[in-house]
Amino acid sequence: MSDRDGRPSPDALLKTIQQDRRGRLKIFLGAAPGVGKTFEMLTSAHEKLREGVDVVAGVVETHGRAETEALLVGLPIIPRRKITYKGRDLDEMDIDAILARHPALVLVDELAHTNAPESRHEKRYQDVEELLAAGIDVWSTLNIQHVESLNDVVAQITRIRVRETVPDNVVDQAAEIEVIDLTPDDLIRRLRDGKVYVAKTANRALGHYFSPGNLTALRELALRRTAQRVDAQLIDHMQAHAIQGPWAAGDRVLVCVDHRGAAPLVRYGRRMAEQLRVPWAVLHVETAQHRALSDTERDRIAETMRSAERLGAEAVTIPGSDVAADVVAYARAHNFTHIVTGHTNAHRWWQPSISERLMRLASDIPVHVLGTKPEDGAGKSILRLATMPSPGPVLGSMALVAAATGVGIGLRQVLNSSSIGMVYLTAVLVSATTYGLIPSLAACLAATLAYNFFFLEPLYSFTIADPENVVALFFFTVTAVIASNVAARMRAQAVAARARAKTTEELYQFSRKLAGIGNLDDLLWATAYQIAAMLKVHVVLLLPEAPDSEQLLVCSSYPPEDTLDEADLAAAHWAWQANRPTGRGSDTLPGARRLFVPLRTGSGPVAIVGIDTAEGQTTPLSPDQRRLLDALGDQAAVSIERMVLAANVEKSRLSAETERLRGALLTSISHDLRTPLSAILGAAGTLLSYRETLSEKDQSELLTTISDEAERMGRFVANLLDMTRLESGAVALNREPVDLGELIGSLLRRAAKILAHHHVKLDVADRLPTLLLDEVLLEQALFNLLDNAAKYSAQGTTITLRAWFDAPERKVILQVLDEGLGIPPEHLEAIFKKFFRVHATDRTRAGTGLGLAICRGFIEAMGGHIEASNRSDCSGAVFTVSLPTGDAPWRP
């Protein structure tokens, strides 16, 4: 809002600067398909092209209309990107190509379009946001039924719900909106002529969506939505250029309310706005005297603002010192063309009433003054509320006057009486800034009497002999009263500013605290404590038992022992289901012990907060406290939603990972169990059926097959069991001294069958140190490495096993080298993951993808390290194992 001294609004200037850094969005808005939005956009683009503007077509949907396709001729077109999804080729806008080309203007048709899966953004309007952020101007098209806030209205009118929508803020950010208007008769004629849909589709559309009544209603919606955007742009322009309105381009109604009975004003403003069919707002100016209001009067203000919101108004509360001037300034800054207020009497005979000052200041804005009857207890003035201060401040003021008298008597020999008056004036100012208006007025009276009694001739008498002293005393009194009023007002504003600064600081600290919390329980506790500490109330927080559950559970409270009875739980459930405040001080269940308020985000309520204060209080929260609760609740709601969404994402990720592992396990089991079982069953069946006819050699081969396949299946089952042990943390280490040479000999004997068709080369250093580790686990890990090398190396190739001692690192290094195809560089780390296989579709090599994962698990459990690489001298893979020696620290 612009300041009264003519300065532009900082918010409006900031918005203008931010807009200058971005591209400009222009929307061609239509009431329905077929009104000519794309045609008009392409026609305007050709005009820009002739002006020398760098225009390209990012995506234009012609829908087979010949006149639209003809307009594409001559326009530079960015080729679309091909995306294959479920066997279908889909064309989407190539946003990277547009960003690389960086034209001045790009045409992006159908703003509400949903992109194909695997696109960068889910919606086309998100692509447009990225283009605008890159400084590229965008022209786009949109039908009114795709605006998110109007989706329900359109569905009610047409009985057809549109699934693709655009958030309202995208429309609100548009620099220009051009309405492409066509009368219902003309559009229906185009439809019948086949210029919108093919004949069969057109006939069906004419009987449903494109009826004259529907088109008229949609046309009105489009015009009204555009008018709202234009009105907002006008206000931004006026604020950015410090233009004092109003500009009566469109009517707006402002209703001013205070602590007196204001319900008739709100109802009158509602009727007036309905008659004019314009936006309206209800304004309350909170002055320094607001602190002197009773709880009843504060409740009356809060109820008036809530009533205004229910009737569709924008409820606004602003701080101020001069009600009339602040109301007029707000009206001018926000382009209100009508002001509605109630008739008020002046508090002082020399001061005009607020309604009179409004009419005087708002000379060019019509002011509607209503005679209203004050509600019970609403007629007494703020001044009378403030005339009964506590004795402490008055006694303090008297002490200041007494001190000033003492100083004056001490200085009487060197100063004249007029100078001593300044001492008393100082005491009055100190009293006003320290204690407020009423004590300072008492100080004025006491200072006047003391000044007359002690320093004006004749002394020690209230009689004044010299007429000049009468004049001096009079002006001293006037000056003291004015100074005390000014100082008291400044003190009240300073107190209010300090209170707001403290609240702002606490809100800031609360937001920082929420940002650093990673646990939902801690977040709920911090929220309950912060609300209780700042509002001085008892707090309970309720969350649904499950994401889709209607059952609410108390998840946090302050004090911690606070509980809810059945009536409270019923009120909380109603607040959750209705998404509105329930309980004491609200419209629903006002007799409840607590007030329950939903903590909500754009997606709906995420929690319920219950507020409880002292018994007998009509409402648990004052208007100030309610606004503070809303601020705290908004921050907490966003944080709660963030954590719930993070938990859901993690749950979804774990579920997807579980499904992937389950699928991989089932795939492995289906092949790696079925293959050896088939071989065993086939060989055993042959022996049973044809034993008499088989030679001893054939029987021996069949028995060998049964043995080999049983061993293979045993290794597979052993791998599954080993992986289960690793994941459950049940690997028990049996630490003992191990001679590596003996272990390698035992390993080669065990692996003789799998290495039978390969050459094995040993390169083991002499006198290797003794290792302190689990011999069984190490042998199994090395066996898996040899099995892997034999599996992925051709028959007749060499498998090398090396071992040496790295003295500087105090480690023993073992390497297994093969002469296979090697490992793709991008998979060098992934091969140690469960069920991962470089060639997942290769079923010529048996395996489950668990062997290397088990190797890493066993070796790291013993304090070692394993890594994979490729050979530099020839094709093949290298697996390097580092093991600590016996004097190395043990890591179980």
Side-chain angles (χ1 to χ4, degrees):
M1 143 178 176
S2 300
D3 293 334
R4 289 201 296 268
D5 59 4
R7 292 179 297 176
S9 165
D11 292 337
L13 287 177
L14 181 60
K15 185 184 297 185
T16 303
I17 294 171
Q18 291 173 342
Q19 184 62 43
D20 291 342
R21 296 175 180 173
R22 291 168 51 89
R24 292 171 59 84
L25 173 63
K26 179 176 180 179
I27 296 177
F28 292 84
L29 183 67
V35 297
K37 302 180 299 299
T38 305
F39 186 92
E40 181 64 26
M41 180 177 70
L42 293 175
T43 302
S44 301
H46 277 285
E47 294 178 1
K48 287 288 184 181
L49 200 62
R50 287 192 292 270
E51 294 172 4
V53 179
D54 184 12
V55 183
V56 299
V59 56
V60 176
E61 307 289 355
T62 63
H63 299 291
R65 298 164 188 160
E67 64 271 20
T68 306
E69 291 179 349
L71 288 173
L72 281 174
V73 178
L75 280 177
I77 299 175
I78 301 293
R80 301 192 193 184
R81 186 166 61 96
K82 298 285 186 182
I83 296 178
T84 302
Y85 179 68
K86 292 185 177 181
R88 296 177 56 195
D89 289 335
L90 305 175
D91 294 335
E92 292 295 350
M93 181 174 66
D94 193 342
I95 186 172
D96 292 319
I98 296 174
L99 291 172
R101 171 81 161 69
H102 206 281
L105 173 63
V106 60
L107 310 181
V108 182
D109 207 2
E110 296 188 358
L111 188 61
H113 172 76
T114 299
N115 292 331
E118 301 181 5
S119 299
R120 181 185 305 176
H121 300 125
E122 181 183 1
K123 298 286 189 178
R124 185 168 289 171
Y125 72 80
Q126 296 171 321
D127 295 336
V128 169
E129 286 284 346
E130 185 170 349
L131 295 174
L132 294 172
I136 301 173
D137 291 348
V138 178
W139 285 3
S140 189
T141 62
L142 183 69
N143 285 328
I144 192 63
Q145 64 264 32
H146 295 291
V147 178
E148 187 170 0
S149 65
L150 300 177
N151 190 253
D152 293 334
V153 178
V154 173
Q156 184 179 4
I157 294 171
T158 64
R159 294 180 175 82
I160 298 174
R161 183 171 293 278
V162 178
R163 300 300 176 187
E164 293 181 323
T165 60
V166 172
D168 285 61
N169 67 324
V170 175
V171 181
D172 293 336
Q173 291 171 5
E176 296 180 61
I177 297 180
E178 182 174 339
V179 179
I180 310 303
D181 192 24
L182 199 63
T183 64
D185 291 342
D186 290 339
L187 180 56
I188 291 173
R189 188 178 304 112
R190 283 176 51 83
L191 199 66
R192 287 173 176 161
D193 293 342
K195 296 181 179 181
V196 180
Y197 298 129
V198 296
K200 183 177 180 181
T201 305
N203 290 331
R204 186 168 61 251
L206 281 170
H208 297 86
Y209 192 90
F210 286 84
S211 67
N214 288 354
L215 293 177
T216 301
L218 294 175
R219 189 183 182 197
E220 182 179 0
L221 281 178
L223 294 172
R224 284 190 174 279
R225 186 62 181 83
T226 306
Q228 291 175 6
R229 177 60 188 139
V230 172
D231 187 59
Q233 287 178 319
L234 176 61
I235 293 174
D236 289 340
H237 173 79
M238 295 174 64
Q239 292 178 347
H241 294 83
I243 298 174
Q244 295 296 315
W247 281 1
D251 286 322
R252 295 165 64 88
V253 178
L254 180 66
V255 180
C256 308
V257 300
D258 58 11
H259 65 284
R260 287 174 286 268
L265 296 178
V266 173
R267 290 192 289 269
Y268 179 85
R270 162 74 176 184
R271 292 194 300 271
M272 185 175 181
E274 281 293 306
Q275 292 171 0
L276 298 174
R277 303 181 71 85
V278 296
W280 65 298
V282 174
L283 176 68
H284 169 63
V285 180
E286 186 178 287
T287 62
Q289 287 80 11
H290 180 79
R291 301 172 63 87
L293 291 176
S294 66
D295 290 339
T296 302
E297 289 169 324
R298 295 190 185 199
D299 294 343
R300 188 178 295 114
I301 294 173
E303 175 57 32
T304 299
M305 304 304 275
R306 287 196 295 268
S307 175
E309 289 179 335
R310 288 194 297 269
L311 292 175
E314 178 187 7
V316 182
T317 300
I318 61 172
S321 56
D322 187 334
V323 174
D326 291 328
V327 167
V328 173
Y330 185 87
R332 294 187 186 281
H334 293 81
N335 206 34
F336 283 97
T337 56
H338 297 272
I339 298 176
V340 178
T341 186
H343 176 68
T344 56
N345 295 318
H347 292 318
R348 303 169 182 87
W349 62 269
W350 68 87
Q351 184 182 44
S353 66
I354 293 177
S355 55
E356 292 172 345
R357 296 192 66 237
L358 269 177
M359 289 185 286
R360 185 181 305 159
L361 293 173
S363 55
D364 53 346
I365 305 177
V367 178
H368 305 257
V369 181
L370 273 67
T372 58
K373 180 181 178 181
E375 298 179 14
D376 293 341
K380 53 188 177 182
S381 69
I382 300 296
L383 182 61
R384 283 200 295 271
L385 288 171
T387 53
M388 297 181 63
S390 60
V394 176
L395 293 176
S397 298
M398 296 301 102
L400 288 173
V401 173
T405 302
V407 172
I409 292 174
L411 297 176
R412 183 162 50 186
Q413 302 299 325
V414 295
L415 296 178
N416 57 31
S417 60
S418 59
S419 299
I420 294 176
M422 300 303 297
V423 178
Y424 282 108
L425 191 58
T426 302
V428 171
L429 291 175
V430 172
S431 173
T433 56
T434 306
Y435 302 116
L437 177 61
I438 302 305
S440 68
L441 292 177
C444 287
L445 178 61
T448 301
L449 295 176
Y451 182 49
N452 179 20
F453 189 79
F454 290 103
F455 300 102
L456 295 180
E457 297 291 341
L459 299 180
Y460 311 117
S461 171
F462 292 108
T463 302
I464 303 176
D466 190 348
E468 292 185 2
N469 289 340
V470 174
V471 175
L473 183 62
F474 171 77
F475 282 106
F476 168 79
T477 305
V478 171
T479 302
V481 170
I482 294 175
S484 66
N485 271 277
V486 173
R489 180 178 298 180
M490 296 300 296
R491 175 183 177 275
Q493 293 177 352
V495 169
R498 283 197 299 270
R500 289 193 178 91
K502 180 182 178 183
T503 301
T504 303
E505 177 64 20
E506 290 179 342
L507 288 173
Y508 173 69
Q509 294 298 333
F510 180 54
S511 66
R512 292 189 59 185
K513 184 189 298 183
L514 292 183
I517 294 176
N519 180 274
L520 182 59
D521 290 336
D522 294 341
L523 171 64
L524 296 176
W525 167 254
T527 301
Y529 175 78
Q530 191 73 25
I531 294 175
M534 294 186 70
L535 300 181
K536 304 298 186 291
V537 293
H538 291 184
V539 178
V540 292
L541 284 171
L542 301 93
L543 265 68
E545 187 176 13
D548 298 326
S549 174
E550 293 293 330
Q551 183 67 30
L552 296 177
L553 297 178
V554 177
C555 297
S556 184
S557 64
Y558 192 87
E561 65 275 2
D562 216 0
T563 58
L564 298 179
D565 55 24
E566 292 297 328
D568 286 337
L569 286 174
H573 279 93
W574 177 265
W576 175 265
Q577 293 170 356
N579 192 20
R580 56 185 297 182
T582 303
R584 191 168 74 209
S586 69
D587 297 332
T588 307
L589 302 177
R593 187 165 64 96
R594 284 182 170 86
L595 170 67
F596 292 95
V597 179
L599 303 184
R600 50 197 169 199
T601 62
S603 58
V606 297
I608 297 292
V609 57
I611 304 298
D612 184 22
T613 55
E615 292 292 339
Q617 190 169 331
T618 307
T619 58
L621 297 179
S622 67
D624 296 337
Q625 290 176 318
R626 184 59 183 271
R627 289 196 297 271
L628 181 56
L629 175 62
D630 290 340
L632 292 169
D634 289 343
Q635 294 187 43
V638 171
S639 298
I640 292 172
E641 185 179 52
R642 170 176 56 84
M643 289 196 175
V644 171
L645 290 177
N648 291 339
V649 169
E650 180 65 15
K651 187 182 298 182
S652 299
R653 188 191 67 80
L654 291 176
S655 178
E657 180 69 12
T658 301
E659 288 298 322
R660 187 187 69 81
L661 293 179
R662 182 182 293 111
L665 179 59
L666 291 175
T667 302
S668 298
I669 290 177
S670 64
H671 179 272
D672 294 298
L673 278 181
R674 185 171 61 244
T675 301
L677 278 175
S678 299
I680 293 173
L681 290 173
T686 302
L687 283 174
L688 289 174
S689 301
Y690 305 103
R691 182 186 303 174
E692 302 299 332
T693 62
L694 293 175
S695 64
E696 290 187 2
K697 180 181 180 182
D698 292 336
Q699 294 183 27
S700 176
E701 289 180 355
L702 290 173
L703 290 172
T704 301
T705 299
I706 292 173
S707 175
D708 290 345
E709 294 301 327
E711 288 183 2
R712 175 181 164 187
M713 190 164 59
R715 290 196 299 271
F716 170 72
V717 174
N719 278 343
L720 287 177
L721 294 175
D722 288 340
M723 182 53 63
T724 302
R725 292 166 58 203
L726 284 171
E727 290 186 337
S728 64
V731 177
L733 299 175
N734 182 22
R735 295 174 292 173
E736 57 184 359
V738 175
D739 185 293
L740 198 57
E742 293 181 1
L743 184 141
I744 291 175
S746 173
L747 172 66
L748 293 178
R749 288 191 295 273
R750 178 183 172 189
K753 286 187 177 181
I754 63 175
L755 299 175
H757 302 291
H758 297 80
H759 302 294
V760 179
K761 179 181 177 181
L762 291 179
D763 184 8
V764 181
D766 297 330
R767 302 180 62 182
L768 290 174
T770 299
L771 301 176
L772 185 62
L773 40 75
D774 191 311
E775 183 176 4
V776 175
L777 295 187
L778 179 59
E779 182 178 333
Q780 181 62 43
L782 295 178
F783 178 85
N784 286 355
L785 291 178
L786 292 176
D787 183 34
N788 184 79
K791 192 183 300 178
Y792 290 97
S793 299
Q795 294 185 6
T797 58
T798 301
I799 296 176
T800 304
L801 179 60
R802 293 177 180 172
W804 72 91
F805 176 60
D806 186 349
E809 296 291 333
R810 303 293 297 170
K811 293 181 179 179
V812 172
I813 310 299
L814 292 96
Q815 282 187 340
V816 177
L817 302 88
D818 62 49
E819 296 179 356
L821 297 177
I823 306 170
E826 66 272 15
H827 293 154
L828 289 174
E829 182 62 26
I831 59 173
F832 293 106
K833 296 180 179 179
K834 294 177 296 183
F835 302 112
F836 181 86
R837 301 181 70 186
V838 175
H839 305 288
T841 59
D842 184 5
R843 287 300 173 188
T844 62
R845 299 179 176 90
T848 61
L850 290 176
L852 294 179
I854 292 171
C855 284
R856 168 168 281 186
F858 282 172
I859 289 171
E860 290 183 351
M862 293 183 291
H865 178 71
I866 183 173
E867 61 182 15
S869 60
N870 289 308
R871 298 184 65 164
S872 58
D873 56 337
C874 64
S875 175
V878 180
F879 290 90
T880 304
V881 178
S882 303
L883 296 170
T885 57
D887 56 349
W890 184 263
R891 187 179 68 180

